[in-house]
Amino acid sequence: MMGPAHSLSGATAWLGVGAAAYALDSPMPWPVLIAGALICAGAALAPDLDHKAATISRAFGPVSRWLCEVIDKLSHSVYQATRGKGDPRRSGGHRTLTHTWLWAVLCGAGAAAICAYGGRWGVLAVLFVHMVLAIDGLLWRQARVSSDVLVWLLGATSAWMLAEILDKPGNGSGWLFTGPGQEYLWVGLPILLGALMHCIGDALTVSGCPILWPIPVGRKRWYPVGPPKAMRFRAGSWVELKVLTPVFMVLGGLGAVSALGLFD
């Protein structure tokens, strides 16, 4: 899928988690619901860090372009070193390592560790990166015609404001993980979920997605998971733009209303 649909799917998924939490009598504080939706929207773009033409490659200028090249080469090397007898040869690393459940778990755990042990600046760094990605994904057309500096300033401002709100008592810095020194550990969850939503979205397209790696399926270790081919679509097609995008918007709205208890 394309960037906007990926980001919408991530935000919708976190709002759905919020609705489920409310239904289980463990409602999220509203700042966690909002911050988590934005983080998840940003994280849903991150697996395309192996693709030089992806939205994320432009998000942070030369730094993200260079990182995309590094991740592409790393992903290709891992693919070549671990491919099964049934896996085809390939020249690049797109839709390999960063499109797996294992990568999603590592990203979520890494971000949680940075937030928990990096102090306020660690939290701000993680929030900043994902706010910029969320802006690029959710406001794709506006972001593309805007200056990168303006997007970065908006991302930094959003990160600072969210951290200030979350730090206030009862607003969610210590949500879910309540032990001493466990503030912001929950940030890893929307990052994990966003990466998984990206993989699920790509699995619906023509090429499928090797989300199960390194678990082998038959003779393939990089098995392209997906529905029957007749049910798949091309990235950027009318199915994505005219069907999935409106569905994500409606489900996200319902999830937000449910998570806030407005149906009661």
Side-chain angles (χ1 to χ4, degrees), residues 84-120:
K85 294 181 179 179
D87 292 314
R89 294 185 179 276
R90 55 186 305 158
S91 58
H94 182 46
R95 286 203 187 183
T96 54
L97 179 61
T98 62
H99 288 65
T100 65
W101 69 268
L102 182 58
W103 180 270
V105 170
L106 291 175
C107 287
I114 291 172
C115 288
Y117 301 111
R120 181 173 179 80

mmCIF file of all heavy atoms in Angstrom, residues 84-120:
data_model
loop_
_atom_site.group_PDB
_atom_site.id
_atom_site.type_symbol
_atom_site.label_atom_id
_atom_site.label_comp_id
_atom_site.label_asym_id
_atom_site.label_seq_id
_atom_site.Cartn_x
_atom_site.Cartn_y
_atom_site.Cartn_z
ATOM 1 N N GLY A 84 15.415 -19.878 1.552
ATOM 2 C CA GLY A 84 15.251 -21.312 1.382
ATOM 3 C C GLY A 84 15.379 -21.728 -0.071
ATOM 4 O O GLY A 84 15.544 -20.890 -0.973
ATOM 5 N N LYS A 85 15.256 -23.027 -0.299
ATOM 6 C CA LYS A 85 15.410 -23.544 -1.655
ATOM 7 C C LYS A 85 14.321 -23.039 -2.594
ATOM 8 O O LYS A 85 14.543 -22.934 -3.798
ATOM 9 C CB LYS A 85 15.401 -25.069 -1.622
ATOM 10 C CG LYS A 85 16.606 -25.668 -0.905
ATOM 11 C CD LYS A 85 16.565 -27.185 -0.931
ATOM 12 C CE LYS A 85 17.785 -27.766 -0.231
ATOM 13 N NZ LYS A 85 17.755 -29.266 -0.236
ATOM 14 N N GLY A 86 13.157 -22.706 -2.047
ATOM 15 C CA GLY A 86 12.064 -22.234 -2.887
ATOM 16 C C GLY A 86 11.997 -20.736 -3.041
ATOM 17 O O GLY A 86 11.158 -20.228 -3.801
ATOM 18 N N ASP A 87 12.847 -19.999 -2.332
ATOM 19 C CA ASP A 87 12.833 -18.538 -2.420
ATOM 20 C C ASP A 87 13.579 -18.080 -3.664
ATOM 21 O O ASP A 87 14.688 -18.554 -3.940
ATOM 22 C CB ASP A 87 13.492 -17.921 -1.182
ATOM 23 C CG ASP A 87 12.677 -18.142 0.073
ATOM 24 O OD1 ASP A 87 11.452 -17.924 0.028
ATOM 25 O OD2 ASP A 87 13.265 -18.523 1.108
ATOM 26 N N PRO A 88 13.014 -17.155 -4.431
ATOM 27 C CA PRO A 88 13.676 -16.712 -5.666
ATOM 28 C C PRO A 88 14.874 -15.812 -5.382
ATOM 29 O O PRO A 88 14.991 -15.223 -4.306
ATOM 30 C CB PRO A 88 12.565 -15.924 -6.372
ATOM 31 C CG PRO A 88 11.724 -15.394 -5.255
ATOM 32 C CD PRO A 88 11.723 -16.468 -4.213
ATOM 33 N N ARG A 89 15.757 -15.709 -6.338
ATOM 34 C CA ARG A 89 16.850 -14.750 -6.241
ATOM 35 C C ARG A 89 16.280 -13.349 -6.433
ATOM 36 O O ARG A 89 15.310 -13.154 -7.146
ATOM 37 C CB ARG A 89 17.920 -15.026 -7.294
ATOM 38 C CG ARG A 89 18.648 -16.343 -7.084
ATOM 39 C CD ARG A 89 19.772 -16.518 -8.079
ATOM 40 N NE ARG A 89 20.485 -17.758 -7.865
ATOM 41 C CZ ARG A 89 21.470 -17.921 -6.990
ATOM 42 N NH1 ARG A 89 21.865 -16.880 -6.258
ATOM 43 N NH2 ARG A 89 22.064 -19.082 -6.853
ATOM 44 N N ARG A 90 16.901 -12.365 -5.804
ATOM 45 C CA ARG A 90 16.437 -10.993 -5.961
ATOM 46 C C ARG A 90 17.614 -10.052 -5.846
ATOM 47 O O ARG A 90 18.652 -10.383 -5.270
ATOM 48 C CB ARG A 90 15.357 -10.655 -4.938
ATOM 49 C CG ARG A 90 15.729 -10.895 -3.502
ATOM 50 C CD ARG A 90 14.532 -10.659 -2.596
ATOM 51 N NE ARG A 90 13.977 -9.327 -2.793
ATOM 52 C CZ ARG A 90 12.739 -8.994 -2.488
ATOM 53 N NH1 ARG A 90 11.913 -9.909 -2.001
ATOM 54 N NH2 ARG A 90 12.298 -7.767 -2.663
ATOM 55 N N SER A 91 17.462 -8.853 -6.410
ATOM 56 C CA SER A 91 18.574 -7.898 -6.471
ATOM 57 C C SER A 91 18.524 -6.840 -5.375
ATOM 58 O O SER A 91 19.486 -6.122 -5.162
ATOM 59 C CB SER A 91 18.579 -7.195 -7.836
ATOM 60 O OG SER A 91 17.339 -6.533 -8.061
ATOM 61 N N GLY A 92 17.390 -6.697 -4.670
ATOM 62 C CA GLY A 92 17.271 -5.685 -3.625
ATOM 63 C C GLY A 92 16.650 -6.250 -2.360
ATOM 64 O O GLY A 92 16.245 -7.413 -2.311
ATOM 65 N N GLY A 93 16.570 -5.400 -1.336
ATOM 66 C CA GLY A 93 16.075 -5.884 -0.056
ATOM 67 C C GLY A 93 14.680 -5.445 0.305
ATOM 68 O O GLY A 93 14.228 -5.690 1.430
ATOM 69 N N HIS A 94 13.964 -4.784 -0.632
ATOM 70 C CA HIS A 94 12.626 -4.295 -0.303
ATOM 71 C C HIS A 94 11.666 -5.446 -0.013
ATOM 72 O O HIS A 94 11.687 -6.477 -0.670
ATOM 73 C CB HIS A 94 12.083 -3.449 -1.456
ATOM 74 C CG HIS A 94 10.730 -2.869 -1.172
ATOM 75 N ND1 HIS A 94 10.410 -2.262 0.018
ATOM 76 C CD2 HIS A 94 9.593 -2.826 -1.931
ATOM 77 C CE1 HIS A 94 9.157 -1.851 -0.015
ATOM 78 N NE2 HIS A 94 8.634 -2.193 -1.178
ATOM 79 N N ARG A 95 10.836 -5.259 1.018
ATOM 80 C CA ARG A 95 9.866 -6.259 1.478
ATOM 81 C C ARG A 95 10.544 -7.549 1.910
ATOM 82 O O ARG A 95 10.089 -8.650 1.578
ATOM 83 C CB ARG A 95 8.806 -6.542 0.417
ATOM 84 C CG ARG A 95 7.798 -5.423 0.279
ATOM 85 C CD ARG A 95 6.497 -5.918 -0.318
ATOM 86 N NE ARG A 95 5.584 -4.819 -0.614
ATOM 87 C CZ ARG A 95 4.374 -4.958 -1.085
ATOM 88 N NH1 ARG A 95 3.898 -6.165 -1.327
ATOM 89 N NH2 ARG A 95 3.603 -3.900 -1.321
ATOM 90 N N THR A 96 11.626 -7.403 2.646
ATOM 91 C CA THR A 96 12.244 -8.589 3.241
ATOM 92 C C THR A 96 12.365 -8.368 4.753
ATOM 93 O O THR A 96 11.371 -8.446 5.464
ATOM 94 C CB THR A 96 13.611 -8.899 2.594
ATOM 95 O OG1 THR A 96 14.468 -7.742 2.662
ATOM 96 C CG2 THR A 96 13.444 -9.282 1.134
ATOM 97 N N LEU A 97 13.528 -8.080 5.253
ATOM 98 C CA LEU A 97 13.774 -8.039 6.695
ATOM 99 C C LEU A 97 12.853 -7.095 7.451
ATOM 100 O O LEU A 97 12.311 -7.446 8.501
ATOM 101 C CB LEU A 97 15.234 -7.646 6.948
ATOM 102 C CG LEU A 97 15.659 -7.542 8.419
ATOM 103 C CD1 LEU A 97 15.499 -8.881 9.126
ATOM 104 C CD2 LEU A 97 17.094 -7.042 8.511
ATOM 105 N N THR A 98 12.655 -5.875 6.939
ATOM 106 C CA THR A 98 11.850 -4.892 7.673
ATOM 107 C C THR A 98 10.351 -5.156 7.580
ATOM 108 O O THR A 98 9.565 -4.459 8.221
ATOM 109 C CB THR A 98 12.125 -3.461 7.153
ATOM 110 O OG1 THR A 98 11.738 -3.379 5.775
ATOM 111 C CG2 THR A 98 13.599 -3.109 7.301
ATOM 112 N N HIS A 99 9.974 -6.160 6.801
ATOM 113 C CA HIS A 99 8.559 -6.501 6.638
ATOM 114 C C HIS A 99 8.244 -7.832 7.321
ATOM 115 O O HIS A 99 7.488 -8.653 6.800
ATOM 116 C CB HIS A 99 8.184 -6.561 5.155
ATOM 117 C CG HIS A 99 8.120 -5.226 4.496
ATOM 118 N ND1 HIS A 99 9.226 -4.430 4.336
ATOM 119 C CD2 HIS A 99 7.074 -4.526 3.968
ATOM 120 C CE1 HIS A 99 8.869 -3.307 3.729
ATOM 121 N NE2 HIS A 99 7.572 -3.345 3.506
ATOM 122 N N THR A 100 8.817 -8.031 8.500
ATOM 123 C CA THR A 100 8.618 -9.269 9.254
ATOM 124 C C THR A 100 8.171 -8.952 10.678
ATOM 125 O O THR A 100 8.396 -7.855 11.194
ATOM 126 C CB THR A 100 9.915 -10.091 9.317
ATOM 127 O OG1 THR A 100 10.905 -9.366 10.080
ATOM 128 C CG2 THR A 100 10.463 -10.356 7.920
ATOM 129 N N TRP A 101 7.545 -9.940 11.322
ATOM 130 C CA TRP A 101 7.105 -9.771 12.714
ATOM 131 C C TRP A 101 8.295 -9.563 13.637
ATOM 132 O O TRP A 101 8.202 -8.819 14.622
ATOM 133 C CB TRP A 101 6.291 -10.991 13.162
ATOM 134 C CG TRP A 101 7.113 -12.250 13.311
ATOM 135 C CD1 TRP A 101 7.336 -13.203 12.369
ATOM 136 C CD2 TRP A 101 7.816 -12.670 14.486
ATOM 137 N NE1 TRP A 101 8.151 -14.193 12.859
ATOM 138 C CE2 TRP A 101 8.459 -13.892 14.176
ATOM 139 C CE3 TRP A 101 7.989 -12.134 15.755
ATOM 140 C CZ2 TRP A 101 9.251 -14.590 15.083
ATOM 141 C CZ3 TRP A 101 8.778 -12.826 16.679
ATOM 142 C CH2 TRP A 101 9.397 -14.040 16.342
ATOM 143 N N LEU A 102 9.422 -10.195 13.313
ATOM 144 C CA LEU A 102 10.590 -10.080 14.171
ATOM 145 C C LEU A 102 11.132 -8.654 14.171
ATOM 146 O O LEU A 102 11.489 -8.108 15.230
ATOM 147 C CB LEU A 102 11.673 -11.063 13.696
ATOM 148 C CG LEU A 102 12.951 -11.098 14.532
ATOM 149 C CD1 LEU A 102 12.644 -11.440 15.987
ATOM 150 C CD2 LEU A 102 13.941 -12.104 13.937
ATOM 151 N N TRP A 103 11.169 -8.022 13.007
ATOM 152 C CA TRP A 103 11.620 -6.633 12.921
ATOM 153 C C TRP A 103 10.664 -5.727 13.700
ATOM 154 O O TRP A 103 11.106 -4.815 14.394
ATOM 155 C CB TRP A 103 11.689 -6.202 11.463
ATOM 156 C CG TRP A 103 12.147 -4.787 11.264
ATOM 157 C CD1 TRP A 103 11.363 -3.667 11.211
ATOM 158 C CD2 TRP A 103 13.491 -4.334 11.101
ATOM 159 N NE1 TRP A 103 12.124 -2.545 11.026
ATOM 160 C CE2 TRP A 103 13.436 -2.911 10.951
ATOM 161 C CE3 TRP A 103 14.732 -4.957 11.046
ATOM 162 C CZ2 TRP A 103 14.581 -2.140 10.763
ATOM 163 C CZ3 TRP A 103 15.870 -4.183 10.861
ATOM 164 C CH2 TRP A 103 15.784 -2.798 10.724
ATOM 165 N N ALA A 104 9.381 -5.982 13.592
ATOM 166 C CA ALA A 104 8.388 -5.175 14.313
ATOM 167 C C ALA A 104 8.603 -5.265 15.819
ATOM 168 O O ALA A 104 8.556 -4.259 16.533
ATOM 169 C CB ALA A 104 6.977 -5.640 13.950
ATOM 170 N N VAL A 105 8.847 -6.473 16.311
ATOM 171 C CA VAL A 105 9.083 -6.672 17.744
ATOM 172 C C VAL A 105 10.354 -5.941 18.182
ATOM 173 O O VAL A 105 10.376 -5.273 19.229
ATOM 174 C CB VAL A 105 9.183 -8.171 18.071
ATOM 175 C CG1 VAL A 105 9.676 -8.384 19.499
ATOM 176 C CG2 VAL A 105 7.831 -8.842 17.874
ATOM 177 N N LEU A 106 11.417 -6.050 17.392
ATOM 178 C CA LEU A 106 12.681 -5.399 17.732
ATOM 179 C C LEU A 106 12.533 -3.875 17.751
ATOM 180 O O LEU A 106 13.082 -3.203 18.637
ATOM 181 C CB LEU A 106 13.771 -5.818 16.751
ATOM 182 C CG LEU A 106 14.225 -7.274 16.837
ATOM 183 C CD1 LEU A 106 15.218 -7.588 15.721
ATOM 184 C CD2 LEU A 106 14.841 -7.568 18.196
ATOM 185 N N CYS A 107 11.790 -3.331 16.793
ATOM 186 C CA CYS A 107 11.572 -1.878 16.751
ATOM 187 C C CYS A 107 10.779 -1.420 17.967
ATOM 188 O O CYS A 107 11.111 -0.407 18.600
ATOM 189 C CB CYS A 107 10.839 -1.493 15.468
ATOM 190 S SG CYS A 107 11.856 -1.588 13.988
ATOM 191 N N GLY A 108 9.721 -2.153 18.314
ATOM 192 C CA GLY A 108 8.921 -1.797 19.467
ATOM 193 C C GLY A 108 9.719 -1.873 20.757
ATOM 194 O O GLY A 108 9.667 -0.963 21.597
ATOM 195 N N ALA A 109 10.490 -2.948 20.918
ATOM 196 C CA ALA A 109 11.287 -3.121 22.123
ATOM 197 C C ALA A 109 12.387 -2.064 22.211
ATOM 198 O O ALA A 109 12.659 -1.519 23.291
ATOM 199 C CB ALA A 109 11.901 -4.521 22.144
ATOM 200 N N GLY A 110 13.005 -1.759 21.074
ATOM 201 C CA GLY A 110 14.060 -0.749 21.064
ATOM 202 C C GLY A 110 13.543 0.621 21.434
ATOM 203 O O GLY A 110 14.167 1.345 22.232
ATOM 204 N N ALA A 111 12.386 0.993 20.871
ATOM 205 C CA ALA A 111 11.802 2.297 21.187
ATOM 206 C C ALA A 111 11.395 2.375 22.647
ATOM 207 O O ALA A 111 11.584 3.402 23.312
ATOM 208 C CB ALA A 111 10.594 2.558 20.286
ATOM 209 N N ALA A 112 10.821 1.283 23.182
ATOM 210 C CA ALA A 112 10.431 1.259 24.586
ATOM 211 C C ALA A 112 11.650 1.439 25.487
ATOM 212 O O ALA A 112 11.593 2.162 26.489
ATOM 213 C CB ALA A 112 9.725 -0.061 24.912
ATOM 214 N N ALA A 113 12.756 0.794 25.132
ATOM 215 C CA ALA A 113 13.978 0.914 25.924
ATOM 216 C C ALA A 113 14.525 2.341 25.882
ATOM 217 O O ALA A 113 14.974 2.880 26.910
ATOM 218 C CB ALA A 113 15.026 -0.072 25.409
ATOM 219 N N ILE A 114 14.492 2.955 24.711
ATOM 220 C CA ILE A 114 14.965 4.341 24.589
ATOM 221 C C ILE A 114 14.134 5.265 25.464
ATOM 222 O O ILE A 114 14.669 6.142 26.155
ATOM 223 C CB ILE A 114 14.913 4.799 23.115
ATOM 224 C CG1 ILE A 114 15.959 4.050 22.291
ATOM 225 C CG2 ILE A 114 15.147 6.309 23.013
ATOM 226 C CD1 ILE A 114 15.848 4.303 20.800
ATOM 227 N N CYS A 115 12.813 5.057 25.461
ATOM 228 C CA CYS A 115 11.935 5.906 26.270
ATOM 229 C C CYS A 115 12.149 5.670 27.761
ATOM 230 O O CYS A 115 12.169 6.609 28.555
ATOM 231 C CB CYS A 115 10.472 5.629 25.913
ATOM 232 S SG CYS A 115 9.977 6.263 24.301
ATOM 233 N N ALA A 116 12.308 4.400 28.147
ATOM 234 C CA ALA A 116 12.417 4.073 29.561
ATOM 235 C C ALA A 116 13.766 4.466 30.144
ATOM 236 O O ALA A 116 13.843 4.919 31.294
ATOM 237 C CB ALA A 116 12.181 2.579 29.768
ATOM 238 N N TYR A 117 14.822 4.314 29.366
ATOM 239 C CA TYR A 117 16.161 4.548 29.900
ATOM 240 C C TYR A 117 16.823 5.808 29.360
ATOM 241 O O TYR A 117 17.862 6.226 29.867
ATOM 242 C CB TYR A 117 17.049 3.338 29.600
ATOM 243 C CG TYR A 117 16.513 2.061 30.192
ATOM 244 C CD1 TYR A 117 16.017 1.047 29.374
ATOM 245 C CD2 TYR A 117 16.472 1.865 31.572
ATOM 246 C CE1 TYR A 117 15.498 -0.123 29.898
ATOM 247 C CE2 TYR A 117 15.960 0.698 32.118
ATOM 248 C CZ TYR A 117 15.472 -0.289 31.271
ATOM 249 O OH TYR A 117 14.956 -1.449 31.809
ATOM 250 N N GLY A 118 16.228 6.420 28.353
ATOM 251 C CA GLY A 118 16.832 7.616 27.768
ATOM 252 C C GLY A 118 16.357 8.905 28.393
ATOM 253 O O GLY A 118 16.782 9.984 27.970
ATOM 254 N N GLY A 119 15.454 8.800 29.385
ATOM 255 C CA GLY A 119 14.964 10.008 30.036
ATOM 256 C C GLY A 119 14.093 10.831 29.099
ATOM 257 O O GLY A 119 13.622 10.352 28.067
ATOM 258 N N ARG A 120 13.916 12.087 29.455
ATOM 259 C CA ARG A 120 13.035 12.959 28.684
ATOM 260 C C ARG A 120 13.501 13.110 27.243
ATOM 261 O O ARG A 120 12.678 13.120 26.320
ATOM 262 C CB ARG A 120 12.943 14.334 29.346
ATOM 263 C CG ARG A 120 12.009 15.297 28.609
ATOM 264 C CD ARG A 120 11.809 16.584 29.376
ATOM 265 N NE ARG A 120 10.955 17.499 28.658
ATOM 266 C CZ ARG A 120 9.634 17.422 28.624
ATOM 267 N NH1 ARG A 120 9.006 16.467 29.292
ATOM 268 N NH2 ARG A 120 8.916 18.307 27.940
#
